[in-house]
Amino acid sequence: MSDFLAQQLPVLEAQITAYQNAITALATGGIQSYTLNTGQTVQTVTRLDLDKLQATLDALLNRYTLLSARCNGGAVTVATPAW
């Protein structure tokens, strides 16, 4: 199973890079739309999509962290505030 998980890490890295590039281009560039190619899908996004793009990027980063920990024998703890 760890071989499968290890093979997913480069896929996630490519997706993370694609989302980071899209967010950076839309947030700092003078462009109104960006063609996002994750290697699995191609879509056109706009500045209005920045919140959705950031949420997706956060989810991808969390997934990457989880898979990395599992591949390296580390444990993952999910904690929430006690209040």
Side-chain angles (χ1 to χ4, degrees), residues 15-35:
Q15 291 175 345
I16 288 167
T17 300
Y19 274 89
Q20 287 175 328
N21 290 342
I23 290 168
T24 300
L26 289 169
T28 61
I31 61 172
Q32 297 296 319
S33 65
Y34 184 89
T35 301

Side-chain angles (χ1 to χ4, degrees), residues 22-69:
I23 290 168
T24 300
L26 289 169
T28 61
I31 61 172
Q32 297 296 319
S33 65
Y34 184 89
T35 301
L36 175 62
N37 183 349
T38 65
Q40 295 178 342
T41 63
V42 176
Q43 58 185 324
T44 300
V45 292
T46 67
R47 288 185 179 187
L48 296 175
D49 297 315
L50 278 173
D51 288 340
K52 181 181 172 187
L53 293 172
Q54 186 62 54
T56 302
L57 175 60
D58 291 343
L60 289 169
L61 289 168
N62 287 336
R63 186 178 303 158
Y64 184 85
T65 301
L66 179 68
L67 287 178
S68 293

